Amino acid sequence: MRTARAIDERMGFFVKHGHLDRLPSPWQVRVGGLAMLPVTLSESERERQRSRSTWMGQVPIRVPLQVLYNPRQLLADSGLTQRPESIVRHMVSVYHEDAFLGYDLQLLQSHPGGLALLREEASKVVDGRTRWAPYLRGLVAWPGYHARLVALAEAAERFEYPDALNVDPRFATLVGFARFCGAMPDWPERGFYGFDLDKLVRRWR
């Protein structure tokens, strides 16, 4: 039930705005989420170089700090049921190459005020208005990253997203993921594997 509601709210936003033709089923989204896992858990070569360019960016140091800042990051999933606060905390504490940001930007866009929240929290890091600012800058390890998030959030309000470059289009955006899920076979309808007790009884009389 929770997944179905999340699909209606997150992906349904893009149906209403004409960017998506139809919604996938919860079963299709669950299977699609498994297919997306290798992308979710991987880094591009550029992300690897940039995110590990400081001592705080080294995996044994940064991952525990990222989880401490946002425990929800322990769960690798489609993000459909995540609260906008968790998505924002993920984005400001984990370095993303532009090509990978379209998915999270669209997730936030589907939440009322989600992109505004990203702009505010990223701006706090840029301006040093949060005690986490120096740590978050160290965790992402790339100068200008948080200022870039502010600019991308403003562009996403206009339905403009970063170039996906060579990232698999099925997983580069939420809309692409929804289309991928919707193209897969759906789980058989209710009762497909069931049986008709009356019919069986009549057969053996």
Side-chain angles (χ1 to χ4, degrees), residues 8-21:
D8 288 341
E9 293 177 350
R10 304 285 71 78
M11 295 176 173
F13 173 88
F14 293 97
V15 173
K16 291 175 184 176
H17 285 83
H19 293 267
L20 191 61
D21 294 330

Side-chain angles (χ1 to χ4, degrees), residues 15 31 39 53 59 77 93 96 109 138 158 190 195 198 200:
V15 173
V31 175
V39 176
S53 60
V59 172
D77 59 13
S93 64
H96 292 74
Q109 188 178 15
R158 304 186 297 271
R190 186 182 299 273
F195 60 91
D198 291 336
L200 288 174

